[in-house]
Amino acid sequence: MSPALELTSVPPWATTPTRPDADTTGRSWTVIAFGPAGAGVAHRWSAQLAAAGTGSAPRVHEIADGADDAARAALGADLADARVGWRLMMAGPADACLRLRAHAVTLGVADDEMTVASTDVTSRSVQCVHCRTVTSAAVQLEDVVPCAGCGRNLLVYYHVSRRQGAHLGFMVDAERQDVRQGAS
């Protein structure tokens, strides 16, 4: 039986695509958009902020899918100039947003300062608890994926590391492996 998602560390936007409205409560904004789908959300957010009469245009960074280093650099540069009322809005595939959120958390950004629009939830980054390798694959929660590091079959569990931005994966048949090893 699957746990209720709200009782896990998995954000709802990591399992179902979401398109929230722009956070108009801020005074300045950084918008990081991954790929064309993320850019579409960023343009909608910019229009909403303008319509709300917020007074300042957001800094919008359109980042290629998979360009985590560019997203981190843009976030770091904008955060260095941030003042009270700054907000981070990110849009794109959930796995990219999870990784960027993890980086933002390490920089001291609070959850209530972030808005996430997930455009795709089919791919997940799964960190192996056995060898710490992160495997990216098109899997759902409770699916099994082979670890790219140690080769173990990992169960994609209902846990997301806030520091790593990855789902937890552990050996799905560990009990059977222990029994076989003990019988040898």
Side-chain angles (χ1 to χ4, degrees), residues 152-163:
R152 290 180 172 96
N153 289 322
L154 304 177
L155 175 71
V156 181
Y157 193 64
Y158 288 89
H159 176 74
V160 169
S161 167
R162 288 177 50 80
R163 290 184 320 111

Side-chain angles (χ1 to χ4, degrees), residues 12 15 18 40 47 81 103-104 124 127 143 155 158 160 167 179-180:
T15 61
T18 61
D81 296 333
H103 184 66
R124 300 190 190 291
Q127 184 174 26
D143 281 355
L155 175 71
Y158 288 89
V160 169
H167 292 269
V179 169
R180 281 186 237 148

Side-chain angles (χ1 to χ4, degrees), residues 52-100:
T54 57
S56 72
R59 292 181 180 177
V60 178
H61 305 276
E62 293 186 17
I63 307 292
D65 284 331
D68 286 5
D69 289 340
R72 286 186 185 114
L75 172 60
D78 286 5
L79 191 55
D81 296 333
R83 300 288 181 261
V84 173
W86 175 85
R87 301 289 186 260
L88 170 62
M89 296 190 290
M90 59 190 101
D95 59 339
C97 290
L98 280 170
R99 290 189 300 272
L100 184 59

